[in-house]
Amino acid sequence: MGSPSSEDAVSARESLSSEGRSPDMEYSGEASSTLLDGDEGSRRITNADSSALNTDSSDSDSSEDTEVTQTFTASESREEEIDPEVTSKDDSPSTESKPKLPTMEDFSSWQRIIRLDAVRANSEWIPYSTTQAAVSEASARRSAEAVGLKDYDHLEPCRIFHAARLVAILEAYALYDPEIGYCQGMSDLLSPIITVMTEDHEAFWCFVGFMKKARHNFRLDEVGIRRQLNTVSKIIKSKDSHLYRHLEKLQAEDCFFVYRMVVVLFRRELTFEQTLCLWEVMWADQAAIRAGIGKSAWSRIRQRAPPTEDLLLFAIAASVLQKRKLIIEKYSSMDEILRECNSMSGQLDVWKLLDDAHDLVVTLHDKIESSLSL
């Protein structure tokens, strides 16, 4: 923990669960205090996910739950060396070594948190799925009863139906990948998928494919998250040394102020439609790489930027660089930068963001790749 930046990390995680709440729910005033347990030397994050993602997002407006049992010591996580094996972008469950099977207590905890997050999911998706929006109350309640959903009387039928689908698929995933189970924030990633896919079995396998890239975001050791934050930091350092020196002065060069953006892939900073746009561009890059379209082929078809597995990270760095003047001139602490990043919700132009991200890929991709491989 020896560095003040460890407190910044905790602050970054706290911010993920201390923002806007759904008007449909009442919350206690004890929210932020439940995130930390212990003294200054051994802070423990109380959550079944790898951080404090208590979905305050456009997809899940949740508050903290004080009973969540899975914990880890932030000091231990921050000081561990980054595992080089995690630099692999595809982090699917291992078929060689069997993961530890979850206990009934684990699964009960996952079930409880899944239901809380599902009921708190908001209605932003409704205009994009008219069929599901028109579901009857009787059908919605049958779906809710089938998965044991409770405390949903305040919701409209379409939101009950959406919540029941979230529960069914997230519980299935927790059994499919018991090493990860369920972590808060995963509902943010699933909600857009079930909005555009009406069959649960298809949505489940789509989510499984998505999580092959995203599951390292929810590992308790946070190795995958730290690798990505390190990449964002290197992009900013390479592009804007003045901004990077200012972040160093504030002991924020580890970029934990963009923690939320990394974990839920910009879902909370962008509208529903913008999220789908960004994700599909990311997936297109990944598909191009799988198809063997490398830099040489890309240059022959005269595109500006080669495909990259890390387009999300270049986009996150671009969002910070767009605020460089404000950060340098106005902000004197990591918490202030964190608040600025969280206030980006609904304020970003996704196409400008992608243009800036592609510019960074063109100029820095090779340099960043080389630095990370050292």
Side-chain angles (χ1 to χ4, degrees), residues 64-198:
E64 287 70 21
D65 194 301
T66 58
E67 301 176 10
V68 182
T69 58
Q70 291 185 340
T71 62
F72 70 99
T73 306
S75 59
E76 294 169 357
S77 171
R78 292 293 303 277
E79 289 184 359
E80 291 175 358
E81 291 296 324
I82 294 179
D83 186 344
E85 293 183 2
V86 182
T87 57
S88 170
K89 309 298 189 300
D90 190 333
D91 192 28
S92 56
S94 172
T95 57
E96 297 179 0
S97 58
K98 293 183 179 180
K100 177 185 175 183
L101 292 177
T103 64
M104 285 301 296
E105 183 180 352
D106 291 333
F107 191 69
S108 295
S109 177
W110 295 337
Q111 284 184 308
R112 178 169 45 79
I113 305 165
I114 288 169
R115 281 159 175 72
L116 287 171
D117 287 351
V119 169
R120 291 164 181 163
N122 73 15
S123 57
E124 188 187 4
W125 60 271
I126 292 176
Y128 302 92
S129 182
T130 54
T131 301
Q132 295 180 69
V135 68
S136 68
E137 182 172 358
S139 178
R141 289 184 176 275
R142 280 197 302 272
S143 297
E145 290 170 5
V147 297
L149 191 64
K150 299 178 181 179
D151 301 323
Y152 55 78
D153 289 338
H154 61 289
L155 299 178
E156 311 95 297
C158 62
R159 292 182 64 187
I160 297 172
F161 183 70
H162 190 79
R165 294 190 69 201
L166 286 172
V167 170
I169 295 172
L170 290 169
E171 283 190 355
Y173 185 82
L175 292 173
Y176 173 81
D177 184 3
E179 182 183 2
I180 298 297
Y182 176 73
C183 305
Q184 290 176 306
M186 288 165 59
S187 59
D188 292 78
L189 305 185
L190 176 59
S191 183
I193 294 174
I194 66 172
T195 297
V196 299
M197 304 186 77
T198 58

Side-chain angles (χ1 to χ4, degrees), residues 19 24 27 35 61 71 83 112 138-139 161 163 171 178 190 219 234 258 266 275 279 289 312 343 354 365 367 371:
E19 296 168 10
D24 300 316
Y27 299 88
L35 291 171
D61 302 324
T71 62
D83 186 344
R112 178 169 45 79
S139 178
F161 183 70
E171 283 190 355
L190 176 59
R219 287 176 49 161
K234 287 181 179 295
V258 298
F266 257 125
T275 298
W279 287 4
I289 292 171
L312 172 73
S343 71
L354 283 168
H365 181 265
K367 182 177 181 180
S371 67

Side-chain angles (χ1 to χ4, degrees), residues 14-60:
E14 279 192 287
S15 74
L16 304 185
S17 54
S18 60
E19 296 168 10
R21 306 301 185 189
S22 166
D24 300 316
M25 305 289 289
E26 291 184 3
Y27 299 88
S28 71
E30 303 175 349
S32 61
S33 63
T34 64
L35 291 171
L36 302 177
D37 178 28
D39 58 23
E40 195 73 18
S42 180
R43 296 176 184 247
R44 299 179 74 85
I45 310 301
T46 57
N47 210 326
D49 59 31
S50 62
S51 58
L53 261 173
N54 243 323
T55 51
D56 61 326
S57 70
S58 52
D59 282 327
S60 300

Side-chain angles (χ1 to χ4, degrees), residues 27-28 73 79 114 126 130 134 141 165 202-203 226-227 242 248 261 263 268 273 277 310 319 340 345 351 355 372:
Y27 299 88
S28 71
T73 306
E79 289 184 359
I114 288 169
I126 292 176
T130 54
R141 289 184 176 275
R165 294 190 69 201
E202 293 178 349
R226 286 183 286 126
R227 182 199 68 80
H242 186 192
E248 282 186 313
M261 296 180 188
V263 172
R268 303 187 182 185
E273 185 173 6
C277 291
D310 289 328
S319 71
E340 177 62 35
S345 299
W351 301 117
D355 281 344
L372 292 174

Side-chain angles (χ1 to χ4, degrees), residues 239-364:
K239 179 63 178 179
D240 193 329
S241 59
H242 186 192
L243 173 60
Y244 186 79
R245 284 195 298 272
H246 183 68
L247 295 178
E248 282 186 313
K249 180 180 177 182
L250 304 183
Q251 297 182 320
E253 72 275 12
D254 58 7
C255 290
F256 258 79
F257 50 85
V258 298
Y259 187 96
R260 184 178 76 178
M261 296 180 188
V262 173
V263 172
V264 290
L265 287 74
F266 257 125
R267 180 63 195 95
R268 303 187 182 185
E269 285 67 39
L270 299 174
T271 66
F272 185 90
E273 185 173 6
Q274 288 176 326
T275 298
L276 296 186
C277 291
L278 175 65
W279 287 4
E280 288 183 356
V281 173
M282 289 166 41
W283 293 336
D285 265 21
Q286 293 164 6
I289 292 171
R290 289 196 301 272
I293 303 177
K295 288 184 294 182
S296 58
W298 212 249
S299 62
R300 285 199 296 273
I301 59 177
R302 298 183 179 180
Q303 296 296 322
R304 292 193 309 126
T308 173
E309 292 276 7
D310 289 328
L311 182 60
L312 172 73
L313 306 182
F314 282 94
I316 290 172
S319 71
V320 176
L321 290 165
Q322 287 176 1
K323 300 286 185 178
R324 69 173 303 278
K325 183 176 180 181
L326 187 64
I327 292 172
I328 292 172
E329 295 180 358
K330 300 290 185 180
Y331 297 149
S332 57
S333 71
M334 199 276 264
D335 284 341
E336 291 178 313
I337 303 174
L338 180 61
R339 283 193 293 271
E340 177 62 35
C341 289
N342 290 345
S343 71
M344 291 180 186
S345 299
Q347 306 299 317
L348 292 170
D349 179 340
V350 69
W351 301 117
K352 175 68 165 62
L353 188 67
L354 283 168
D355 281 344
D356 289 352
H358 279 126
D359 287 341
L360 290 173
V361 172
V362 170
T363 57
L364 298 176

